[in-house]
Amino acid sequence: MSKRTKTSKAWMHEHVNDPFVKAAKRDGYRSRAAYKLLEIDKRDRIFKPGMLVVDLGAAPGSWSQVAKQRIGAKGRMVAIDLLPMDPIHEVDFIQADFTGDAGLEALVAKCGNTQVDVVISDMAPNISGVILADQARAMELAELALDFAMQYLKPTGSFLVKLFHGEGFDAFVRSANRCFQKVVIRKPDASRDRSNEVYLLAKGKKN
């Protein structure tokens, strides 16, 4: 048996026995990632009814599901991803490249050219296996999300973004601290222990 096959079988065994995977199936969420956002929101109270929320890199949609539940029928949810996403009731989805001008323009237009209450980003690059290249791409996506938040987020709004420990991490945190009054790092229980992912939550946009 090849090393790749052994690794794939080990991942599948872990996946099917993962309590968050089982919970997602039980609760109707599209992926286990929903519980990362649920835990952060329970602790930090990001969402309120009636908000306008933007979900960057939304597919398959579990974060949009959670956020829409939290903001209620009067809230507006706008999601974008390069990949297709099955429809979610009352979530406006744009299949486009957020990093390109056309995708950004479509996103801003869908928001009605109004300021946003919350920007969430669970974006991650396609993994090439080249650690430095993957980390650089992940940080680039985070920086683009930060740029969007600084341009379109309300002063009272919140910004939540996935980061990976590695090259550029500390510099990004410093940038976030320059841009926001409060910045914290969260590692939800649903993030696997071996993963170097964490989530940066920023509140109180500075002028």
Side-chain angles (χ1 to χ4, degrees), residues 167-182:
E167 185 69 29
F169 177 87
D170 291 339
F172 185 91
V173 175
R174 288 194 295 270
S175 294
N177 274 298
R178 287 193 295 268
C179 295
F180 291 87
Q181 295 174 9
K182 180 182 178 182

Side-chain angles (χ1 to χ4, degrees), residues 48-118:
K48 294 180 181 178
M51 282 182 161
L52 170 58
V53 178
V54 169
D55 185 358
L56 305 176
S62 60
W63 273 29
S64 287
Q65 287 178 299
V66 170
K68 183 56 186 171
Q69 289 170 353
R70 292 294 188 264
I71 62 177
K74 293 184 179 180
R76 289 191 58 221
M77 188 80 220
V78 180
I80 186 169
D81 201 297
L82 185 60
L83 299 174
M85 187 175 87
D86 290 337
I88 299 173
H89 183 58
E90 295 185 334
V91 173
D92 291 322
F93 175 67
I94 305 163
Q95 186 177 352
D97 184 359
F98 164 72
T99 67
D101 291 340
L104 179 59
E105 290 171 5
L107 177 59
V108 172
K110 185 67 73 173
C111 291
N113 294 294
T114 59
Q115 288 187 305
V116 178
D117 292 291
V118 181

Side-chain angles (χ1 to χ4, degrees), residues 1-2 12 16-17 35 39 56 67 88 111 122 127 147 153 155 170 179-181 193:
M1 185 182 296
S2 69
M12 182 58 68
V16 298
N17 290 287
Y35 298 97
E39 181 180 332
L56 305 176
I88 299 173
C111 291
D122 199 29
I127 301 301
D147 288 344
L153 193 66
D170 291 339
C179 295
F180 291 87
Q181 295 174 9
D193 291 340

